Amino acid sequence: MTDRLGAVLAGAVPRVCAAAVALVAVDGSVAAAAATGELVRYADAEGTLAAERPPAGHDSIFDLASISKLFTTAVLLSLAEEGAIGLDEPVAAWIPGHDPRVTPRRLLTHTAGLPPTRRIDLELPDADASERMEAMLRTPIAHPVGGPYLYSDVGLVIAGRVAELAGGAPLDALVRARVTDVLGLPDTGYRPVAPPRAATLSRVAATERVAATEWKPERPGPGCVRGEVHDETAYALGGVAGHAGLFATAGDLLAFGEALRLGAIRQDGGVLRPESVAEMLRDQGAEGAAFRHGLGVRIGDPAIVGPLSGAFGHSGFTGTSLVVDPARGLTVVLLTNAVHPVRGRDGIRELRHAVAGEALRLRELQPLT
């Protein structure tokens, strides 16, 4: 079983990505696992091979990119359960002066009318992270509030800040206390190799396990980014943001996906109650997307689910994806660094589909339980 999944990955490495790790769980048990490629393959944007090219392994750590949005969503829903926020209350309750039509639900369904992105690093090159965050929070509404769907990293940045204000702690601390520590995910966190904040991933052997991403000579180094968030906006905000910034292993992400599949993000059934997970996974009626949208999650996204129609999850710009299919009892994780050394490489969609296809094959080999 692992050989088949390994062959799928080997067919894409290094053409699509320098490194890839995949896990498939059937009814909660790992049915296939594969890792191939090199965590650092290139030394520059021209494709010069690096002097040292460490191999990818099952414990390798990847930049999750937009899969971070699911963790932000989990934090917000846990705060809603406690009554600290209301999903349909104006975010102006926490961010005075914000458009009163914007609510956490609209932020999480990308129907708040906010622009897709904002390069705050270029707008405010000399500002610090807090000043840039304040500017992000003042981003004007640019599209109809309430829909149609318009994917917006800005909206999830604001959602993350709402979580901080309602939860009384930085977002990384909230994710750790409310999700990763509860689920026992030791290798999931922000800023994995940035001292003195290494406590974020206190049990991680820093750089040597982290996959490199894009060549960015403007970053300290210079060189291919490794151990810092790839996303420019998240980097400009200090490495922690509602839309991006989390790093994880495939095993940790699989455990998170399994918690969603089983309907409660907590080993003893708390933190997110089953009804909260159900609301997260319910079609929220956002119009204009190529898929249905829950709270923070995409349902039936053709870019990632392949033959697993009806599955939910999310993808990340770096080449990552999490797909969960409760009806078939499947959880599928694919972690790659498809932006190394440059973005825009072809084939990541096809690789995601091929991994999902292998998951379906494994499901068909085993009777449903």
Side-chain angles (χ1 to χ4, degrees):
M1 293 181 184
T2 296
D3 290 346
R4 295 273 302 242
L5 184 61
V8 169
L9 299 190
V13 175
R15 179 180 56 85
V16 176
C17 51
V21 179
L23 284 176
V24 175
V26 179
D27 296 328
S29 297
V30 174
T36 191
E38 299 156 329
L39 295 178
V40 182
R41 179 173 173 83
Y42 304 105
D44 55 36
E46 283 68 47
T48 303
L49 293 178
E52 296 185 11
R53 291 151 57 185
H58 295 287
D59 65 344
S60 295
I61 296 168
F62 289 77
D63 183 336
L64 298 183
S66 284
I67 295 176
S68 305
K69 293 175 170 71
L70 302 186
F71 290 78
T72 302
T73 300
V75 168
L76 282 167
L77 289 173
S78 73
L79 291 167
E81 286 187 354
E82 296 172 2
I85 68 167
L87 292 177
D88 297 305
E89 293 178 4
V91 300
W94 303 278
I95 306 172
H98 207 283
D99 191 304
R101 298 172 296 170
V102 174
T103 64
R105 188 183 303 275
R106 284 177 168 163
L107 294 174
L108 295 176
T109 56
H110 300 278
T111 58
L114 289 158
T117 189
R118 185 174 177 184
R119 285 297 302 274
I120 204 67
D121 56 326
L122 301 180
E123 291 181 39
L124 301 174
D126 299 321
D128 62 21
S130 62
E131 292 170 323
R132 289 167 172 165
M133 176 60 78
E134 287 303 312
M136 292 291 289
L137 299 180
R138 295 193 299 272
T139 302
I141 300 298
H143 305 276
V145 177
Y149 167 91
L150 180 64
Y151 187 74
S152 175
D153 281 345
V154 177
L156 266 293
V157 170
I158 294 172
R161 183 57 181 152
V162 169
E164 292 183 328
L165 294 169
L171 183 60
D172 55 345
L174 292 171
V175 168
R176 186 166 59 248
R178 293 172 177 268
V179 183
T180 62
D181 279 357
V182 173
L183 288 177
L185 312 181
D187 292 337
T188 301
Y190 302 85
R191 301 179 295 206
V193 296
R197 297 182 289 262
T200 303
L201 288 175
S202 59
R203 293 178 290 279
V204 170
T207 309
E208 62 267 22
R209 290 172 55 197
V210 181
T213 55
E214 194 169 8
W215 167 258
K216 289 182 177 291
E218 72 277 11
R219 296 272 188 97
C224 291
V225 174
R226 192 180 186 198
E228 295 177 340
V229 62
H230 170 266
D231 181 87
E232 295 89 353
T233 301
Y235 180 76
L237 295 173
V240 179
H243 72 298
L246 272 173
F247 290 72
T249 60
D252 274 12
L253 190 58
L254 184 79
F256 177 74
E258 277 292 292
L260 292 178
R261 183 181 72 85
L262 296 173
I265 300 184
R266 191 172 186 173
Q267 291 157 337
D268 63 3
V271 173
L272 282 192
R273 296 192 293 262
E275 55 267 34
S276 294
V277 177
E279 182 63 14
M280 181 180 179
L281 305 181
R282 181 179 69 84
D283 181 6
Q284 299 288 318
E287 298 180 354
F291 41 79
R292 292 166 288 145
H293 213 288
L295 296 177
V297 301
R298 299 175 174 188
I299 306 165
D301 180 359
I304 62 172
V305 301
L308 303 179
S309 57
F312 68 84
H314 214 289
S315 58
F317 185 79
T318 50
T320 59
S321 55
L322 170 66
V323 175
V324 183
D325 189 336
R328 295 183 176 92
L330 291 172
T331 300
V332 185
V333 170
L334 174 64
L335 301 184
T336 83
N337 58 345
V339 296
H340 176 60
V342 294
R343 65 185 69 190
R345 302 172 73 177
D346 293 330
I348 188 62
R349 182 186 179 114
E350 291 74 18
L351 176 57
R352 287 167 172 154
H353 287 190
V355 172
E358 176 59 12
L360 180 59
R361 187 188 74 84
L362 291 168
R363 171 74 279 175
E364 291 172 345
L365 291 175
Q366 301 184 35
L368 284 166
T369 60

Short mmCIF file of all heavy atoms in Angstrom, two decimals, residues 218-276:
data_model
loop_
_atom_site.label_atom_id
_atom_site.label_comp_id
_atom_site.label_asym_id
_atom_site.label_seq_id
_atom_site.Cartn_x
_atom_site.Cartn_y
_atom_site.Cartn_z
N GLU A 218 15.25 39.13 -0.66
CA GLU A 218 15.00 40.29 0.20
C GLU A 218 14.87 39.90 1.67
O GLU A 218 14.94 40.77 2.56
CB GLU A 218 13.72 41.01 -0.24
CG GLU A 218 12.40 40.28 0.05
CD GLU A 218 12.03 39.24 -0.98
OE1 GLU A 218 12.89 38.90 -1.84
OE2 GLU A 218 10.88 38.77 -0.94
N ARG A 219 14.69 38.63 1.95
CA ARG A 219 14.61 38.16 3.33
C ARG A 219 16.01 38.02 3.92
O ARG A 219 16.99 37.84 3.19
CB ARG A 219 13.89 36.81 3.40
CG ARG A 219 12.44 36.81 2.96
CD ARG A 219 11.51 37.14 4.09
NE ARG A 219 10.12 36.96 3.67
CZ ARG A 219 9.39 35.87 3.92
NH1 ARG A 219 9.92 34.87 4.59
NH2 ARG A 219 8.14 35.80 3.50
N PRO A 220 16.11 38.04 5.26
CA PRO A 220 17.42 37.78 5.87
C PRO A 220 17.96 36.45 5.41
O PRO A 220 17.27 35.46 5.39
CB PRO A 220 17.09 37.78 7.37
CG PRO A 220 15.88 38.63 7.50
CD PRO A 220 15.07 38.36 6.25
N GLY A 221 19.18 36.43 5.03
CA GLY A 221 19.80 35.21 4.55
C GLY A 221 20.98 35.50 3.65
O GLY A 221 22.11 35.53 4.12
N PRO A 222 20.79 35.86 2.36
CA PRO A 222 19.55 35.60 1.62
C PRO A 222 19.50 34.14 1.19
O PRO A 222 20.45 33.40 1.40
CB PRO A 222 19.69 36.53 0.42
CG PRO A 222 21.18 36.56 0.18
CD PRO A 222 21.82 36.46 1.53
N GLY A 223 18.45 33.76 0.55
CA GLY A 223 18.34 32.39 0.08
C GLY A 223 16.90 31.95 0.04
O GLY A 223 15.97 32.76 0.13
N CYS A 224 16.69 30.64 -0.10
CA CYS A 224 15.35 30.10 -0.06
C CYS A 224 14.85 30.11 1.38
O CYS A 224 15.57 29.73 2.31
CB CYS A 224 15.32 28.69 -0.63
SG CYS A 224 15.62 28.64 -2.42
N VAL A 225 13.63 30.55 1.55
CA VAL A 225 13.04 30.67 2.90
C VAL A 225 12.97 29.29 3.54
O VAL A 225 12.52 28.32 2.91
CB VAL A 225 11.64 31.31 2.80
CG1 VAL A 225 10.96 31.30 4.16
CG2 VAL A 225 11.75 32.73 2.26
N ARG A 226 13.36 29.21 4.80
CA ARG A 226 13.30 27.94 5.51
C ARG A 226 13.09 28.21 7.00
O ARG A 226 13.92 28.85 7.64
CB ARG A 226 14.57 27.13 5.31
CG ARG A 226 14.45 25.69 5.78
CD ARG A 226 15.73 24.92 5.55
NE ARG A 226 15.55 23.50 5.89
CZ ARG A 226 16.54 22.65 6.12
NH1 ARG A 226 17.80 23.06 6.02
NH2 ARG A 226 16.29 21.39 6.43
N GLY A 227 11.98 27.77 7.52
CA GLY A 227 11.68 27.98 8.94
C GLY A 227 10.97 29.28 9.23
O GLY A 227 10.64 29.56 10.38
N GLU A 228 10.73 30.08 8.21
CA GLU A 228 9.91 31.29 8.32
C GLU A 228 8.74 31.15 7.38
O GLU A 228 8.82 30.47 6.35
CB GLU A 228 10.71 32.54 7.94
CG GLU A 228 11.87 32.87 8.85
CD GLU A 228 12.64 34.07 8.36
OE1 GLU A 228 12.53 34.39 7.15
OE2 GLU A 228 13.37 34.68 9.16
N VAL A 229 7.64 31.79 7.72
CA VAL A 229 6.45 31.70 6.88
C VAL A 229 6.75 32.24 5.49
O VAL A 229 7.42 33.26 5.30
CB VAL A 229 5.27 32.45 7.52
CG1 VAL A 229 5.55 33.93 7.69
CG2 VAL A 229 4.00 32.23 6.72
N HIS A 230 6.27 31.53 4.48
CA HIS A 230 6.45 31.94 3.10
C HIS A 230 5.60 33.15 2.76
O HIS A 230 6.06 34.08 2.10
CB HIS A 230 6.09 30.78 2.16
CG HIS A 230 6.02 31.17 0.72
ND1 HIS A 230 4.83 31.54 0.11
CD2 HIS A 230 6.98 31.27 -0.23
CE1 HIS A 230 5.07 31.83 -1.15
NE2 HIS A 230 6.35 31.68 -1.39
N ASP A 231 4.36 33.17 3.22
CA ASP A 231 3.40 34.23 2.87
C ASP A 231 3.94 35.60 3.28
O ASP A 231 4.28 35.83 4.44
CB ASP A 231 2.07 33.95 3.57
CG ASP A 231 1.02 34.98 3.23
OD1 ASP A 231 0.31 34.82 2.22
OD2 ASP A 231 0.91 35.97 3.99
N GLU A 232 3.95 36.53 2.33
CA GLU A 232 4.53 37.84 2.59
C GLU A 232 3.77 38.64 3.63
O GLU A 232 4.36 39.33 4.46
CB GLU A 232 4.62 38.65 1.29
CG GLU A 232 5.56 38.08 0.25
CD GLU A 232 4.92 37.07 -0.68
OE1 GLU A 232 3.75 36.71 -0.44
OE2 GLU A 232 5.58 36.65 -1.65
N THR A 233 2.45 38.56 3.59
CA THR A 233 1.65 39.32 4.55
C THR A 233 1.82 38.78 5.95
O THR A 233 2.01 39.54 6.91
CB THR A 233 0.17 39.31 4.15
OG1 THR A 233 0.03 39.88 2.84
CG2 THR A 233 -0.67 40.11 5.12
N ALA A 234 1.77 37.47 6.11
CA ALA A 234 1.98 36.88 7.42
C ALA A 234 3.37 37.20 7.95
O ALA A 234 3.55 37.49 9.14
CB ALA A 234 1.78 35.36 7.37
N TYR A 235 4.36 37.18 7.08
CA TYR A 235 5.73 37.53 7.49
C TYR A 235 5.79 38.97 7.97
O TYR A 235 6.41 39.28 8.99
CB TYR A 235 6.68 37.31 6.32
CG TYR A 235 8.12 37.63 6.64
CD1 TYR A 235 8.90 36.76 7.40
CD2 TYR A 235 8.71 38.80 6.17
CE1 TYR A 235 10.22 37.05 7.68
CE2 TYR A 235 10.03 39.10 6.44
CZ TYR A 235 10.78 38.23 7.20
OH TYR A 235 12.10 38.53 7.48
N ALA A 236 5.11 39.87 7.24
CA ALA A 236 5.11 41.29 7.62
C ALA A 236 4.39 41.53 8.93
O ALA A 236 4.64 42.53 9.61
CB ALA A 236 4.45 42.11 6.51
N LEU A 237 3.49 40.62 9.30
CA LEU A 237 2.75 40.75 10.56
C LEU A 237 3.44 40.00 11.70
O LEU A 237 2.84 39.80 12.76
CB LEU A 237 1.32 40.23 10.37
CG LEU A 237 0.46 41.04 9.39
CD1 LEU A 237 -0.88 40.36 9.15
CD2 LEU A 237 0.25 42.47 9.88
N GLY A 238 4.67 39.58 11.49
CA GLY A 238 5.43 38.95 12.56
C GLY A 238 5.44 37.44 12.52
O GLY A 238 5.95 36.80 13.45
N GLY A 239 4.86 36.84 11.49
CA GLY A 239 4.87 35.39 11.35
C GLY A 239 3.65 34.68 11.89
O GLY A 239 3.51 33.47 11.72
N VAL A 240 2.75 35.42 12.54
CA VAL A 240 1.51 34.83 13.09
C VAL A 240 0.35 35.63 12.55
O VAL A 240 0.24 36.84 12.78
CB VAL A 240 1.51 34.87 14.63
CG1 VAL A 240 0.21 34.29 15.17
CG2 VAL A 240 2.71 34.11 15.19
N ALA A 241 -0.56 34.96 11.84
CA ALA A 241 -1.73 35.64 11.29
C ALA A 241 -2.85 34.64 11.10
O ALA A 241 -2.63 33.43 11.09
CB ALA A 241 -1.39 36.31 9.95
N GLY A 242 -4.06 35.15 10.96
CA GLY A 242 -5.22 34.28 10.86
C GLY A 242 -5.29 33.47 9.59
O GLY A 242 -5.95 32.43 9.54
N HIS A 243 -4.61 33.94 8.55
CA HIS A 243 -4.73 33.29 7.24
C HIS A 243 -3.58 32.36 6.92
O HIS A 243 -3.72 31.49 6.04
CB HIS A 243 -4.83 34.35 6.14
CG HIS A 243 -3.54 35.07 5.88
ND1 HIS A 243 -2.91 35.82 6.85
CD2 HIS A 243 -2.75 35.13 4.77
CE1 HIS A 243 -1.79 36.34 6.34
NE2 HIS A 243 -1.68 35.93 5.09
N ALA A 244 -2.43 32.51 7.58
CA ALA A 244 -1.25 31.72 7.24
C ALA A 244 -0.26 31.81 8.39
O ALA A 244 -0.37 32.66 9.27
CB ALA A 244 -0.61 32.24 5.95
N GLY A 245 0.73 30.91 8.36
CA GLY A 245 1.79 30.98 9.35
C GLY A 245 2.07 29.68 10.07
O GLY A 245 3.13 29.52 10.66
N LEU A 246 1.13 28.74 10.06
CA LEU A 246 1.34 27.48 10.78
C LEU A 246 2.24 26.53 10.00
O LEU A 246 2.17 26.45 8.77
CB LEU A 246 0.01 26.78 11.05
CG LEU A 246 -0.71 27.17 12.33
CD1 LEU A 246 -2.08 26.53 12.37
CD2 LEU A 246 0.09 26.78 13.57
N PHE A 247 3.07 25.81 10.76
CA PHE A 247 3.89 24.73 10.23
C PHE A 247 3.46 23.44 10.94
O PHE A 247 3.03 23.47 12.09
CB PHE A 247 5.37 24.98 10.53
CG PHE A 247 5.99 26.10 9.75
CD1 PHE A 247 5.68 27.43 10.02
CD2 PHE A 247 6.90 25.83 8.74
CE1 PHE A 247 6.26 28.47 9.31
CE2 PHE A 247 7.50 26.86 8.02
CZ PHE A 247 7.18 28.18 8.30
N ALA A 248 3.61 22.31 10.26
CA ALA A 248 3.23 21.05 10.88
C ALA A 248 3.84 19.87 10.14
O ALA A 248 4.26 19.99 8.99
CB ALA A 248 1.70 20.89 10.93
N THR A 249 3.85 18.73 10.80
CA THR A 249 4.14 17.46 10.15
C THR A 249 2.86 16.87 9.58
O THR A 249 1.74 17.25 9.97
CB THR A 249 4.74 16.47 11.14
OG1 THR A 249 3.79 16.26 12.20
CG2 THR A 249 6.05 16.96 11.72
N ALA A 250 3.02 15.88 8.69
CA ALA A 250 1.85 15.20 8.14
C ALA A 250 1.08 14.47 9.23
O ALA A 250 -0.16 14.45 9.22
CB ALA A 250 2.28 14.23 7.05
N GLY A 251 1.78 13.89 10.19
CA GLY A 251 1.11 13.17 11.27
C GLY A 251 0.25 14.07 12.11
O GLY A 251 -0.88 13.72 12.49
N ASP A 252 0.77 15.25 12.45
CA ASP A 252 -0.02 16.20 13.23
C ASP A 252 -1.26 16.65 12.46
O ASP A 252 -2.37 16.73 13.01
CB ASP A 252 0.82 17.42 13.59
CG ASP A 252 1.64 17.24 14.85
OD1 ASP A 252 1.74 16.10 15.34
OD2 ASP A 252 2.20 18.25 15.34
N LEU A 253 -1.08 16.97 11.18
CA LEU A 253 -2.22 17.43 10.39
C LEU A 253 -3.24 16.33 10.21
O LEU A 253 -4.46 16.59 10.22
CB LEU A 253 -1.75 17.95 9.03
CG LEU A 253 -2.81 18.68 8.20
CD1 LEU A 253 -3.39 19.88 8.95
CD2 LEU A 253 -2.22 19.13 6.86
N LEU A 254 -2.79 15.09 10.09
CA LEU A 254 -3.72 13.97 10.01
C LEU A 254 -4.55 13.88 11.29
O LEU A 254 -5.78 13.67 11.23
CB LEU A 254 -2.96 12.67 9.79
CG LEU A 254 -3.84 11.43 9.60
CD1 LEU A 254 -4.39 11.38 8.19
CD2 LEU A 254 -3.06 10.16 9.90
N ALA A 255 -3.93 14.05 12.45
CA ALA A 255 -4.66 13.98 13.72
C ALA A 255 -5.70 15.09 13.81
O ALA A 255 -6.81 14.88 14.31
CB ALA A 255 -3.68 14.06 14.88
N PHE A 256 -5.36 16.28 13.33
CA PHE A 256 -6.32 17.38 13.32
C PHE A 256 -7.49 17.04 12.40
O PHE A 256 -8.67 17.22 12.76
CB PHE A 256 -5.62 18.66 12.85
CG PHE A 256 -6.53 19.85 12.73
CD1 PHE A 256 -6.99 20.52 13.85
CD2 PHE A 256 -6.91 20.31 11.48
CE1 PHE A 256 -7.82 21.63 13.73
CE2 PHE A 256 -7.74 21.42 11.34
CZ PHE A 256 -8.20 22.07 12.48
N GLY A 257 -7.20 16.52 11.20
CA GLY A 257 -8.26 16.14 10.28
C GLY A 257 -9.14 15.04 10.84
O GLY A 257 -10.37 15.06 10.67
N GLU A 258 -8.54 14.08 11.55
CA GLU A 258 -9.32 13.01 12.16
C GLU A 258 -10.26 13.56 13.23
O GLU A 258 -11.40 13.09 13.39
CB GLU A 258 -8.38 11.96 12.77
CG GLU A 258 -7.87 10.95 11.77
CD GLU A 258 -8.98 10.04 11.28
OE1 GLU A 258 -9.50 9.23 12.06
OE2 GLU A 258 -9.35 10.15 10.09
N ALA A 259 -9.79 14.56 13.99
CA ALA A 259 -10.66 15.17 14.99
C ALA A 259 -11.89 15.79 14.34
O ALA A 259 -13.02 15.67 14.84
CB ALA A 259 -9.89 16.21 15.80
N LEU A 260 -11.68 16.45 13.20
CA LEU A 260 -12.82 17.02 12.48
C LEU A 260 -13.72 15.91 11.92
O LEU A 260 -14.95 16.02 11.97
CB LEU A 260 -12.32 17.90 11.34
CG LEU A 260 -11.61 19.20 11.73
CD1 LEU A 260 -11.13 19.93 10.48
CD2 LEU A 260 -12.52 20.11 12.55
N ARG A 261 -13.11 14.86 11.40
CA ARG A 261 -13.92 13.75 10.87
C ARG A 261 -14.80 13.14 11.94
O ARG A 261 -15.97 12.79 11.69
CB ARG A 261 -13.00 12.68 10.26
CG ARG A 261 -13.77 11.52 9.61
CD ARG A 261 -12.83 10.47 9.04
NE ARG A 261 -12.17 9.69 10.09
CZ ARG A 261 -12.72 8.62 10.68
NH1 ARG A 261 -13.93 8.20 10.34
NH2 ARG A 261 -12.04 7.95 11.61
N LEU A 262 -14.26 13.03 13.14
CA LEU A 262 -15.00 12.41 14.24
C LEU A 262 -15.93 13.38 14.95
O LEU A 262 -16.72 12.98 15.79
CB LEU A 262 -14.02 11.79 15.24
CG LEU A 262 -13.18 10.64 14.67
CD1 LEU A 262 -12.12 10.21 15.67
CD2 LEU A 262 -14.05 9.47 14.27
N GLY A 263 -15.80 14.68 14.63
CA GLY A 263 -16.80 15.63 15.09
C GLY A 263 -16.54 16.30 16.41
O GLY A 263 -17.45 16.93 16.97
N ALA A 264 -15.32 16.24 16.95
CA ALA A 264 -15.03 16.94 18.20
C ALA A 264 -13.53 17.15 18.32
O ALA A 264 -12.77 16.19 18.28
CB ALA A 264 -15.53 16.17 19.42
N ILE A 265 -13.09 18.40 18.43
CA ILE A 265 -11.67 18.68 18.56
C ILE A 265 -11.29 18.63 20.03
O ILE A 265 -11.06 19.64 20.69
CB ILE A 265 -11.32 20.03 17.92
CG1 ILE A 265 -11.68 20.02 16.44
CG2 ILE A 265 -9.83 20.32 18.07
CD1 ILE A 265 -11.28 21.26 15.70
N ARG A 266 -11.32 17.46 20.56
CA ARG A 266 -10.79 17.23 21.91
C ARG A 266 -10.87 15.75 22.22
O ARG A 266 -11.84 15.08 21.84
CB ARG A 266 -11.56 18.03 22.96
CG ARG A 266 -10.87 18.04 24.33
CD ARG A 266 -11.57 18.99 25.27
NE ARG A 266 -10.84 19.12 26.52
CZ ARG A 266 -11.18 19.99 27.47
NH1 ARG A 266 -12.19 20.78 27.30
NH2 ARG A 266 -10.49 20.06 28.58
N GLN A 267 -9.89 15.25 22.89
CA GLN A 267 -9.87 13.83 23.16
C GLN A 267 -11.03 13.40 24.05
O GLN A 267 -11.52 12.29 23.95
CB GLN A 267 -8.53 13.46 23.80
CG GLN A 267 -7.37 13.59 22.80
CD GLN A 267 -6.04 13.78 23.49
OE1 GLN A 267 -5.97 14.23 24.62
NE2 GLN A 267 -4.96 13.45 22.80
N ASP A 268 -11.48 14.29 24.95
CA ASP A 268 -12.57 13.92 25.84
C ASP A 268 -13.91 14.49 25.38
O ASP A 268 -14.87 14.49 26.11
CB ASP A 268 -12.27 14.35 27.27
CG ASP A 268 -12.14 15.87 27.41
OD1 ASP A 268 -12.35 16.57 26.40
OD2 ASP A 268 -11.85 16.33 28.51
N GLY A 269 -13.94 15.02 24.13
CA GLY A 269 -15.20 15.47 23.57
C GLY A 269 -15.50 16.94 23.74
O GLY A 269 -16.58 17.38 23.36
N GLY A 270 -14.53 17.74 24.26
CA GLY A 270 -14.80 19.16 24.48
C GLY A 270 -14.14 20.05 23.45
O GLY A 270 -14.00 19.70 22.30
N VAL A 271 -13.70 21.24 23.89
CA VAL A 271 -13.13 22.32 23.11
C VAL A 271 -14.01 22.71 21.94
O VAL A 271 -14.51 23.82 21.91
CB VAL A 271 -11.69 22.05 22.65
CG1 VAL A 271 -11.22 23.14 21.69
CG2 VAL A 271 -10.76 22.08 23.86
N LEU A 272 -14.21 21.85 20.97
CA LEU A 272 -15.29 22.07 20.02
C LEU A 272 -16.30 20.95 20.19
O LEU A 272 -16.00 19.78 19.98
CB LEU A 272 -14.78 22.09 18.58
CG LEU A 272 -14.09 23.36 18.12
CD1 LEU A 272 -13.90 23.32 16.61
CD2 LEU A 272 -14.84 24.61 18.51
N ARG A 273 -17.49 21.33 20.61
CA ARG A 273 -18.54 20.33 20.76
C ARG A 273 -18.96 19.83 19.38
O ARG A 273 -18.76 20.50 18.37
CB ARG A 273 -19.73 20.95 21.49
CG ARG A 273 -19.43 21.36 22.93
CD ARG A 273 -20.71 21.69 23.67
NE ARG A 273 -21.37 22.87 23.15
CZ ARG A 273 -21.24 24.09 23.68
NH1 ARG A 273 -20.46 24.28 24.73
NH2 ARG A 273 -21.89 25.11 23.16
N PRO A 274 -19.56 18.65 19.32
CA PRO A 274 -19.99 18.11 18.02
C PRO A 274 -20.86 19.07 17.23
O PRO A 274 -20.74 19.15 16.00
CB PRO A 274 -20.74 16.84 18.40
CG PRO A 274 -20.09 16.40 19.67
CD PRO A 274 -19.76 17.66 20.41
N GLU A 275 -21.72 19.82 17.91
CA GLU A 275 -22.58 20.74 17.17
C GLU A 275 -21.79 21.90 16.56
O GLU A 275 -22.17 22.43 15.51
CB GLU A 275 -23.70 21.28 18.06
CG GLU A 275 -23.26 21.93 19.36
CD GLU A 275 -23.24 20.95 20.52
OE1 GLU A 275 -22.94 19.76 20.31
OE2 GLU A 275 -23.54 21.40 21.64
N SER A 276 -20.67 22.26 17.20
CA SER A 276 -19.82 23.30 16.62
C SER A 276 -19.11 22.80 15.38
O SER A 276 -18.99 23.50 14.37
CB SER A 276 -18.81 23.80 17.65
OG SER A 276 -19.45 24.45 18.72
#
